[in-house]
Amino acid sequence: MSTPSTHAPVAGATPYRFTRNRWRHARERLIESLLFLAALSSVAITVAIVVILVYESLGFFKHVSVWDFLTDTQWTPLFSDAHYGIMPLVAGTLVTSGVALAVAIPLGTIIAIYLSEFAPHKVREVMKPTLELLAGVPTIVYGYFALLFVTPILQYFFPELPGFNMLSAGIVMGIMIIPYVSSVSEDAMHAVPMHIREGSYAMGATRFQTALRVVTPAAASGIIAAYILGISRAVGETMVVAVAAGMQPNLTWNPTEPAATITAYIVQVALGDLPHGSLEYQSIFAAGLVLIIMTLIFNILGHWLRRRYRETY
């Protein structure tokens, strides 16, 4: 007569493997929920920033009309005869950003092409991290570098150049954002499949022709993304223009003159002793809202260009 097996399942008990599977699925659902919350947090923070800017700006626009805010050519909110025309700050922001992009886009693209198509592997592995170290330098250091080094050099060639000017600030901003442009562009070029290059070589093209006429167009969407990243970084830069550009809200499109940018004005007011809720204090939120809108326009334009070039190539 055989003895009953000690391993027979007990009636009503859940097998161990089913319990283990349930625990594993529960952990996966928990991890998915945490990942979803992490992704949602960036959207929630962006929405919260926009809501705060709009809410505070509404109090500002109760006293200043939107038309005067957009068309007045004077920005003197801290004077007794206050004017709230945003155009001088917008002009300063666009001029300094334009100078920065005129420096960063050509140099960053050339560096990206060299690192992706011509540099030996060991050189690339050394140069790319070294170049990216520029992004880790504090911006206040760049500001004093522009004021005490770049401006005297420019004054040697242009003796009438004032000590505070948008040209030196823009040049140093361009140097500062070169790593953003070159690194993202190089990654986009490096991701182009090798068989595209080999097909170009088989047709008799040189490495230079392949780099310019084949690889660069194929990576156009990533390169445009790098440009948009550089534009956003230049528009939002604060300390370089606050130190080197002079923080004088002049409506001028001449880069050799001093001016103020939107971010520099926000820093100037935020460090002052203005009472919370005053019209001057609320003006920084209206200026910040304009900055957000400008950045949004640039990103929408870049998204449209990326889609267009992605469809083309």
Side-chain angles (χ1 to χ4, degrees):
M1 189 172 177
S2 60
T3 60
S5 174
T6 57
H7 299 285
V10 181
T14 304
Y16 173 72
R17 66 176 182 274
F18 294 152
T19 304
R20 185 178 58 182
N21 289 338
R22 278 206 301 265
W23 171 240
R24 184 178 63 184
H25 293 327
R27 285 189 303 173
E28 290 179 354
R29 287 195 296 269
L30 177 61
I31 293 172
E32 290 177 1
S33 300
L34 293 176
L35 294 175
F36 174 75
L37 291 176
L40 185 64
S41 63
S42 60
V43 178
I45 291 171
T46 303
V47 172
I49 291 173
V50 174
V51 169
I52 291 297
L53 288 176
V54 172
Y55 176 78
E56 295 290 343
S57 299
L58 289 177
F60 172 80
F61 288 120
K62 290 179 181 178
H63 300 86
V64 179
S65 68
V66 178
W67 178 255
D68 291 339
F69 180 73
L70 296 176
T71 60
D72 195 349
T73 59
Q74 296 184 52
W75 180 263
T76 56
L78 305 180
F79 293 6
S80 57
D81 182 21
H83 288 267
Y84 296 94
I86 196 66
M87 282 305 299
L89 299 184
V90 173
T93 301
L94 293 178
V95 170
T96 53
S97 300
V99 174
L101 295 176
V103 174
I105 287 180
L107 290 179
T109 306
I110 292 172
I111 292 172
I113 292 174
Y114 171 73
L115 291 179
S116 175
E117 304 302 315
F118 297 96
H121 178 72
K122 292 183 178 180
V123 175
R124 179 180 178 273
E125 293 301 317
V126 173
M127 285 189 62
K128 189 173 181 180
T130 303
L131 183 66
E132 291 175 351
L133 287 177
L134 289 175
V137 178
T139 56
I140 188 67
V141 175
Y142 279 112
Y144 283 103
F145 174 75
L147 180 64
L148 301 177
F149 183 80
V150 177
T151 297
I153 293 177
L154 294 176
Q155 287 175 333
Y156 179 80
F157 298 97
F158 307 101
E160 297 181 356
L161 187 70
F164 296 101
N165 60 87
M166 293 184 287
L167 182 60
S168 62
I171 291 174
V172 173
M173 283 170 56
I175 296 173
M176 184 180 65
I177 64 178
I178 282 177
Y180 299 93
V181 176
S182 62
S183 180
V184 177
S185 298
E186 193 274 336
D187 290 338
M189 294 179 183
H190 198 69
V192 174
M194 184 57 66
H195 66 80
I196 296 180
R197 296 178 176 85
E198 293 172 350
S200 176
Y201 297 147
M203 295 296 293
T206 63
R207 292 182 66 184
F208 184 74
Q209 291 172 332
T210 301
L212 289 186
R213 300 181 183 180
V214 177
V215 176
T216 301
S221 61
I223 295 173
I224 293 173
Y227 294 167
I228 297 301
L229 177 63
I231 292 172
S232 301
R233 187 67 182 85
V235 170
E237 175 52 37
T238 303
M239 295 311 300
V240 173
V241 292
V243 172
M247 290 200 298
Q248 301 179 23
N250 301 321
L251 181 56
T252 177
W253 302 98
N254 185 357
T256 62
E257 295 182 6
T261 62
I262 297 176
T263 54
Y265 170 74
I266 293 174
V267 169
Q268 181 184 6
V269 173
L271 297 179
D273 298 326
L274 294 176
H276 180 79
S278 63
L279 186 61
E280 294 80 6
Y281 179 81
Q282 290 176 332
S283 67
I284 66 175
F285 294 96
L289 184 61
V290 172
L291 189 63
I292 286 287
I293 293 174
M294 291 174 58
T295 306
L296 179 62
I297 291 173
F298 287 132
N299 280 273
I300 291 175
L301 178 62
H303 180 70
W304 176 77
L305 289 174
R306 286 198 303 271
R307 288 187 59 185
R308 179 183 176 184
Y309 278 93
R310 188 177 294 118
E311 292 173 359
T312 302
Y313 296 102

